[in-house]
Amino acid sequence: MTTITQQRLRGRPAHTPGQTYLTYTPDGKRLITAGSNDAIRVYTTGSDGEPVNIDDCQELNTAVVATNDFFVTGSEDGTVCVYSLKTNLLDKVLVRCTLPVRDVALSPDGNWAAVASDELVVKVVNTQDMTRVIYLRKQSKPVKHLSFHPNGSYLAASCSDGVVYVYSLSAEEPQLVKKVDGLIRSLETDSEASSGVIWHPDGTALAAPTATRDIQVVSRNDWQRQRAFASGHMGDITALAWSPNGALLASASMDRLLLLWEAKTQNIIARYEYPNVVSLAWHPTENILSFTNLEGELFIYTDFVPNEHRPLLKKPLQPAPFIHEADGWKPPDTTAEERPRRARDRRGTPDSLDDILGSDVMQDEDDFIIDDDGAGYVEEVNGYGKRSNKHLDEFDGPDHKKRATHDLWRPRLHLPFQPGSTPWRGNRRYLCLNLIGCVWTVDQDTHNTVTVEFYDREYHRDFHFTDPFLYDKACLNDNGTLFSCPPLNGSPAMIFYRPHETWTSRADWRTRLPIGEDVTSISLSDSYIVVTTSTNYVRVFTLYGMPFRVYRQKSSPTVTCASWRDYVLTMGNGSAGGDGKTRLLYTIENVKRDEICQNEDIVALPEGAEIRTAFFSDNGDPCIYDSTGVLLILLHWRSPGQARWVPVLDTTLLDRLAGGRKEESYWPVAVAQDKFHCIILKGGEKYPYFPRPLLSEFDLKIPLSQAPASDEEVDGSSGTETAKLEESYVRNSIVLALLEDLLAATTVTHSQRTDLALKELEVDKVLLQLLAVECREGEERGEKALEIVGLMRDQSGKMIEAAGKVANRYGRNLLQEKIRELGERKLLGMGED
């Protein structure tokens, strides 16, 4: 139950208005503040006297951390200084950066200071020997916040690109342990909002402010999300702080609230109203929380935890709030004397000596070895009556490889996603991006505003509306726009469809899902609306709201869906593989004819890769784009059991990346007119942002192998020409096969027949060019040249005749005779099977 605290403190003027930071020394005897002016103040805990002023310091300080003997500050001029607490004077300049310093963190032993600035490199400097510096370079953008693990072996860096980089500092060379993506927001380094993660005092987890203004706990063992402190703040979070024993969490936000949470239950137990709080610090031993605000004021709040909850602060070190408590917490080592004995001793086995001879016989034999000289040959027994493992060497492997004795194994699932959408960045996100246009939303605190924009404004008009339902998914096509919202404040999840044109007064419609059912993904075609839900239902509606089909998906939990005309593609999690991750399965169904084309087949992903999006091409062929940058298209998917995923483009092999100078990735949008349409993301960005970026297109290119250049080929021109022609042949053959499948399943028009003939002719032309290259290279290439002629699809004999002329042109008379014989066999229907 929330406690509303009415007590209001008066702030102590500490610095001029601006960013103001504070820290306690580990012994709690001093409190140090630094702000926008050129003075640093050192307060004595428990004293109402004036603080010690250290003048003539750097202005615009951005960080302050302390040990019992000294403290370290960072400022916007790039200087990191060390001050002595014995003399209250500047001791030394620890390091200088070329750009403003954004955060400084001290290792628990005070020997290392990690410095984050607007530079791309994080510097970890030895406080005793400034020449010893460790450089952390894996991040692609400046780091905004830093946090040392309680034992100093890890350093978490919150990067301005929205990624948390966790480094191991145990060895001489730092190692990047994990990149945690999707946890924090992308923020500018000078933003007042915080994206800093804080380690729980027990070291098994870290907590971070999310884009949804919640506080998410993440396990250090497997980096999976655990409990969350949700629905507390309505504004961006500016500061977080665990209590020294980890039982409580304090958080401040731009909504003028300072909240006190119980870690175990994630409930708010106290609420205080203080605007513009930017820094929090718990006293190491007392019930005191101190904080500063943008007005340069310091608040020292004694008896911060209410009386009824004060026992929480007096408890020993508490575990981090995991979904399953045993996931990350091990009880402290306790000897048998300290731990109370169990009420009932462990029962013996059927052949136990106690059961056979009686307990009285063996009672006096328990401690027949007495360690009276302290030599250590008596094995220690823990509180459970078991031998301890202290005689074993400590396991040095990664934490996630340690044997989990308290938890059942769980496979790693593919998480659900909505194709074409992006996560929150600031107060904006895209709900849909495709070749028709885009749908984006803006968070206005109490509601959202949704904008639908089209590329072709002559065909459709943009529109904008206020969204009180907080829609989080959308689809857009030439017919209309589809939205869905999650359950909110007791209201169920809802689907909303708005057509672009109608001949009635009102054609948009809404429908509510059953209570407890959430939308995981939606799709919109020219004929149907498809919704997959958290209960693994696939719900199919007509365009104007008529329920058409409802069935439960066999592969679960559901991941995503896509649709084209009458065809529906659904994806879900299947059985777990050897790597502990579930196999991604897909099903394709014609909902109009109630026919299944592919049933629970495997999505072809390499080990460790994840699917980024799934969609249908403009010709209605399923496509996926994975995390390795490969675009794949599904061939022969209308024939049950014959489908296969064919790579049609590997973006990592694009010519624009050949020099290695460009660092870019690609946000997939569509496959249309045999081209890959995407948005180019520069400098390590993972998602497109505002203003709306331009679309780029790349030709499809099959990733084929290439023969090494021979000794005769000085410049390799012949090999390059052959490789290009071979790729063109394979690519055109795939496009032709896709077109043949389409025409076999639909009513063929005259234009489609013409297009099919042109595609076949294009394939044969490429083969004719390959034949010319082989003939030019010499007579020894005759076997391959004849094989190329055999691949031609033309049944009229014209291409065979042209092949004979090519062989004659290069003087390959024997090859010309072989080609003539092959043509005669084809004409008589005696071709090879």
Side-chain angles (χ1 to χ4, degrees):
M1 182 176 180
T2 302
T3 301
I4 306 297
T5 305
Q6 302 296 337
Q7 181 181 355
R8 175 77 179 179
L9 291 181
R10 292 185 60 184
R12 307 184 185 189
H15 301 276
T16 56
Q19 294 280 358
T20 308
Y21 301 91
L22 79 165
T23 185
Y24 274 103
T25 57
D27 58 12
K29 293 181 179 180
R30 296 180 181 88
L31 173 66
I32 304 152
T33 64
S36 57
N37 58 350
D38 61 352
I40 297 174
R41 292 177 176 258
V42 181
Y43 295 81
T44 301
T45 303
S47 173
D48 293 331
E50 287 295 317
V52 175
N53 292 330
I54 303 177
D55 299 320
D56 298 327
C57 304
Q58 276 71 25
E59 294 183 350
L60 298 176
N61 291 291
T62 56
V64 58
V65 286
T67 68
N68 292 331
D69 300 321
F70 62 86
F71 65 91
V72 183
T73 63
S75 62
E76 286 199 0
D77 65 359
T79 305
V80 179
C81 300
V82 179
Y83 294 85
S84 171
L85 282 172
K86 296 180 180 178
T87 62
N88 292 321
L89 296 174
L90 175 65
D91 187 10
K92 58 187 173 184
V93 175
L94 188 64
V95 67
R96 295 183 187 274
C97 301
T98 58
L99 295 174
V101 173
R102 296 304 176 188
D103 198 11
V104 178
L106 271 178
S107 61
D109 58 9
N111 290 332
W112 296 92
V115 180
S117 67
D118 284 351
E119 299 174 0
L120 297 183
V121 179
V122 173
K123 301 175 182 178
V124 185
V125 187
N126 189 280
T127 55
Q128 307 301 321
D129 182 4
M130 66 181 68
T131 61
R132 296 175 59 190
V133 184
I134 301 173
Y135 298 96
L136 310 180
R137 307 177 184 270
K138 297 295 184 181
Q139 56 278 352
S140 58
K141 284 202 167 184
V143 169
K144 181 173 172 60
H145 302 283
L146 296 169
S147 178
F148 265 104
H149 187 271
N151 65 12
S153 58
Y154 296 95
L155 180 68
S158 300
C159 193
S160 56
D161 61 1
V163 179
V164 178
Y165 294 80
V166 183
Y167 290 91
S168 172
L169 304 180
S170 302
E172 291 185 4
E173 290 296 326
Q175 299 291 328
L176 179 63
V177 176
K178 184 66 178 179
K179 288 173 60 177
V180 185
D181 196 2
L183 177 63
I184 61 174
R185 295 172 49 192
S186 299
L187 292 173
E188 297 298 329
T189 53
D190 58 355
S191 172
E192 294 177 3
S194 172
S195 61
V197 302
I198 54 172
W199 292 96
H200 190 271
D202 74 351
T204 62
L206 50 81
T210 67
T212 57
R213 297 158 181 173
D214 298 332
I215 304 163
Q216 180 66 56
V217 177
V218 176
S219 169
R220 183 175 62 87
N221 288 338
D222 54 10
W223 307 106
Q224 296 298 311
R225 299 193 178 198
Q226 302 294 328
R227 300 290 187 186
F229 300 81
S231 305
H233 289 292
M234 297 299 294
D236 292 336
I237 293 174
T238 56
L240 296 174
W242 292 106
S243 64
N245 65 348
L248 300 168
L249 176 68
S251 64
S253 169
M254 291 183 180
D255 58 6
R256 305 171 62 92
L257 289 181
L258 173 60
L259 301 182
L260 179 63
W261 308 74
E262 183 181 359
K264 185 175 182 180
T265 62
Q266 301 88 56
N267 291 332
I268 300 173
I269 61 176
R271 188 187 302 264
Y272 310 87
E273 186 173 348
Y274 289 95
N276 302 323
V277 174
V278 292
S279 186
L280 299 171
W282 287 86
H283 189 278
T285 57
E286 303 293 335
N287 182 12
I288 301 174
L289 181 78
S290 298
F291 50 94
T292 54
N293 61 15
L294 290 176
E295 303 301 322
E297 295 176 321
L298 167 67
F299 297 82
I300 302 177
Y301 204 133
T302 58
D303 297 328
F304 177 72
V305 180
N307 291 334
E308 60 269 29
H309 300 290
R310 190 170 299 175
L312 293 173
L313 196 59
K314 296 182 179 180
K315 287 185 176 182
L317 181 63
Q318 297 297 296
F322 285 84
I323 295 176
H324 300 286
E325 189 169 326
D327 283 353
W329 175 255
K330 295 181 180 180
D333 290 336
T334 309
T335 61
E337 291 77 8
E338 294 172 343
R339 189 191 304 273
R341 299 290 296 177
R342 293 184 177 181
R344 181 168 59 90
D345 291 333
R346 180 183 175 187
R347 295 182 58 186
T349 57
D351 57 350
S352 170
L353 287 177
D354 284 344
D355 292 345
I356 297 173
L357 302 178
S359 59
D360 293 339
V361 178
M362 299 298 295
Q363 183 175 2
D364 297 333
E365 301 296 328
D366 289 343
D367 298 321
F368 67 95
I369 298 180
I370 301 175
D371 189 8
D372 55 357
D373 59 357
Y377 39 74
V378 175
E379 295 192 13
E380 183 180 351
V381 178
N382 62 19
Y384 297 110
K386 301 289 186 179
R387 290 180 299 172
S388 68
N389 61 356
K390 293 185 177 179
H391 62 289
L392 300 176
D393 293 335
E394 185 177 354
F395 179 62
D396 294 330
D399 291 335
H400 68 274
K401 294 185 179 179
K402 295 183 180 180
R403 182 178 179 182
T405 58
H406 297 286
D407 193 16
L408 296 176
W409 175 83
R410 294 189 303 274
R412 292 180 289 124
L413 300 176
H414 293 271
L415 299 178
F417 68 91
Q418 176 63 31
S421 69
T422 66
W424 287 102
R425 183 174 175 183
N427 63 340
R428 298 169 182 251
R429 63 173 294 203
Y430 288 103
L431 300 181
C432 178
L433 270 170
N434 58 27
L435 290 182
I436 305 297
C438 68
V439 183
W440 51 281
T441 183
V442 179
D443 185 359
Q444 306 288 357
D445 290 337
T446 59
H447 62 277
N448 291 353
T449 53
V450 176
T451 302
V452 180
E453 294 183 348
F454 297 92
Y455 291 111
D456 188 355
R457 289 188 171 89
E458 293 183 358
Y459 189 61
H460 294 298
R461 294 177 58 186
D462 299 347
F463 62 91
H464 176 89
F465 64 91
T466 300
D467 168 27
F469 301 104
L470 307 184
Y471 294 122
D472 63 342
K473 296 176 179 64
C475 293
L476 177 67
N477 66 6
D478 284 326
N479 298 320
T481 312
L482 176 67
F483 298 92
S484 74
C485 67
L488 184 66
N489 298 328
S491 300
M494 187 170 59
I495 306 298
F496 171 52
Y497 177 68
R498 173 172 174 167
H500 299 323
E501 295 181 0
T502 179
W503 50 271
T504 59
S505 60
R506 184 183 179 93
D508 58 350
W509 56 271
R510 289 183 173 88
T511 185
R512 294 182 176 182
L513 298 186
I515 298 294
E517 192 171 349
D518 194 4
V519 177
T520 56
S521 65
I522 57 176
S523 66
L524 175 65
S525 72
D526 294 337
S527 308
Y528 298 99
I529 290 169
V530 182
V531 180
T532 63
T533 71
S534 57
T535 56
N536 300 321
Y537 285 136
V538 178
R539 298 182 178 272
V540 183
F541 301 86
T542 63
L543 288 184
Y544 292 94
M546 183 68 183
F548 190 71
R549 298 201 188 283
V550 179
Y551 59 91
R552 176 161 282 173
Q553 187 174 334
K554 288 186 285 187
S555 55
S556 61
T558 60
V559 176
T560 193
C561 68
S563 55
W564 179 78
R565 293 185 181 174
D566 300 335
Y567 293 96
V568 173
L569 165 69
T570 57
M571 291 186 180
N573 289 275
S575 59
D579 57 354
K581 194 166 189 176
T582 56
R583 296 289 179 256
L584 191 60
L585 305 180
Y586 73 95
T587 296
I588 301 178
E589 166 184 21
N590 187 310
V591 295
K592 184 176 182 179
R593 297 200 299 261
D594 200 16
E595 294 177 356
I596 294 180
C597 302
Q598 304 296 325
N599 186 23
E600 304 298 319
D601 199 4
I602 295 178
V603 179
L605 294 174
E607 183 178 357
E610 295 180 349
I611 186 171
R612 287 287 181 255
T613 190
F615 54 88
F616 281 88
S617 69
D618 61 335
N619 292 325
D621 296 304
C623 303
I624 62 171
Y625 186 82
D626 63 27
S627 57
T628 64
V630 178
L631 173 69
L632 300 102
I633 196 166
L634 193 60
L635 191 63
H636 305 314
W637 57 272
R638 294 178 178 86
S639 302
Q642 300 300 313
R644 66 195 67 180
W645 291 100
V646 179
V648 292
L649 180 65
D650 187 346
T651 57
T652 61
L653 302 178
L654 290 176
D655 295 337
R656 58 188 290 123
L657 301 179
R661 295 181 179 180
K662 290 187 177 181
E663 181 184 358
E664 63 184 33
S665 57
Y666 308 94
W667 175 264
V669 175
V671 172
Q673 299 178 347
D674 300 334
K675 293 182 182 293
F676 175 55
H677 298 262
C678 63
I679 295 171
I680 299 176
L681 305 177
K682 301 285 188 179
E685 290 284 350
K686 294 185 179 295
Y687 306 100
Y689 193 56
F690 298 86
R692 185 177 65 185
L694 298 176
L695 293 180
S696 301
E697 61 180 40
F698 296 100
D699 292 326
L700 302 183
K701 185 177 181 180
I702 312 299
L704 297 180
S705 59
Q706 185 173 350
S710 61
D711 296 337
E712 291 82 4
E713 298 174 3
V714 179
D715 57 354
S717 57
S718 176
T720 303
E721 182 182 4
T722 301
K724 289 182 178 179
L725 291 172
E726 289 175 345
E727 188 278 329
S728 179
Y729 165 70
V730 175
R731 173 166 41 83
N732 289 327
S733 298
I734 293 172
V735 173
L736 177 60
L738 292 171
L739 182 59
E740 289 175 338
D741 290 346
L742 175 63
L743 300 188
T746 58
T747 303
V748 184
T749 64
H750 175 72
S751 62
Q752 288 176 327
R753 289 194 186 96
T754 304
D755 193 20
L756 180 63
L758 292 175
K759 294 291 184 186
E760 291 178 343
L761 182 61
E762 192 172 351
V763 171
D764 286 349
K765 283 184 176 179
V766 174
L767 290 174
L768 206 60
Q769 292 174 312
L770 272 171
L771 174 64
V773 173
E774 297 301 324
C775 291
R776 187 174 65 240
E777 290 302 312
E779 190 73 40
E780 66 276 5
R781 301 281 190 95
E783 291 284 352
K784 183 177 179 181
L786 185 62
E787 186 180 52
I788 289 173
V789 176
L791 295 175
M792 292 181 175
R793 304 173 63 94
D794 178 55
Q795 300 298 323
S796 65
K798 293 182 179 179
M799 298 304 295
I800 298 290
E801 183 181 352
K805 292 180 179 179
V806 171
N808 180 53
R809 178 183 178 183
Y810 287 97
R812 311 303 179 203
N813 298 326
L814 180 59
L815 175 62
Q816 183 182 8
E817 181 65 23
K818 293 288 185 182
I819 293 175
R820 185 185 62 79
E821 294 175 359
L822 177 62
E824 291 176 353
R825 289 199 303 271
K826 282 193 172 185
L827 186 62
L828 297 175
M830 299 171 57
E832 297 180 359
D833 293 336

